[in-house]
């Protein structure tokens, strides 16, 4: 698997009998990844997605050992996953110096942890 879409497809295929939604974890090396955080001033009032993203800070990672926590659901698009995905994922580097919402990734030697029925 080399992309978020491939992770989504793999998880969907391997968990057809699992109770959904569920949390999963990936641990290993990310060849490349892009993460973001919302960096808004304290007290900022948000009334739309556009306003929420006005303070977005993006970060590119290269060859980092990471842990990714993700949420998978086929029934919650635009609720806790993106409107075009069954996934919502956050990444933290092994040294805990960087973390954020995962936007893109190229995986390298990662282990996937899925729930047991």
């Amino acid at each position: 698997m080399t992309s978020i879409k491939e992770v989504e497809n793999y998880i969907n295929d391997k968990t057809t009998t699992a109770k959904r939604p569920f949390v999963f974890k990936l641990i290993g090396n990310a060849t490349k990844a892009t993460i973001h955080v919302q960096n808004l001033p304290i007290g900022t009032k948000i009334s739309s997605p556009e306003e929420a993203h006005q303070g977005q800070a993006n970060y590119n990672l290269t060859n980092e050992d990471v842990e990714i926590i993700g949420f998978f659901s086929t029934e919650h698009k635009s609720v806790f996953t993106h409107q075009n995905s069954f996934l919502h994922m956050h990444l933290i580097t092994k040294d805990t110096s960087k973390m954020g919402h995962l936007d893109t990734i190229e995986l390298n030697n990662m282990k996937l942890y899925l729930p047991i029925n």
Side-chain angles (χ1 to χ4, degrees):
M1 295 180 285
T2 60
S3 69
I4 290 174
K5 189 64 176 171
E6 288 180 13
V7 171
E8 176 184 78
N9 291 338
Y10 182 84
I11 290 173
N12 193 36
D13 290 345
K14 297 298 181 189
T15 62
T16 56
T17 61
K19 184 177 179 191
R20 296 174 173 187
F22 59 82
V23 177
F24 64 92
K25 180 166 55 172
L26 283 158
I27 297 177
N29 184 268
T31 305
K32 292 181 185 177
T34 304
I35 58 174
H36 76 263
V37 295
Q38 304 305 353
N39 191 15
L40 298 170
I42 294 174
T44 301
K45 300 213 185 287
I46 305 298
S47 59
S48 71
E50 292 77 24
E51 288 179 1
H53 289 94
Q54 68 187 350
Q56 183 168 309
N58 299 302
Y59 301 94
N60 295 313
L61 310 177
T62 304
N63 196 31
E64 292 270 4
D65 290 329
V66 301
E67 185 167 324
I68 298 166
I69 298 298
F71 300 90
F72 178 90
S73 178
T74 57
E75 303 298 321
H76 294 91
K77 285 185 175 181
S78 296
V79 177
F80 62 83
T81 69
H82 294 280
Q83 59 185 326
N84 60 349
S85 176
F86 298 149
L87 302 178
H88 185 112
M89 297 186 286
H90 286 217
L91 174 151
I92 187 166
T93 56
K94 184 176 180 179
D95 66 6
T96 69
S97 66
K98 302 170 199 97
M99 65 179 276
H101 174 85
L102 183 62
D103 294 313
T104 65
I105 192 162
E106 289 181 20
L107 307 173
N108 179 30
N109 195 25
M110 296 196 91
K111 185 170 183 177
L112 172 63
Y113 297 85
L114 294 170
I116 299 173
N117 287 339

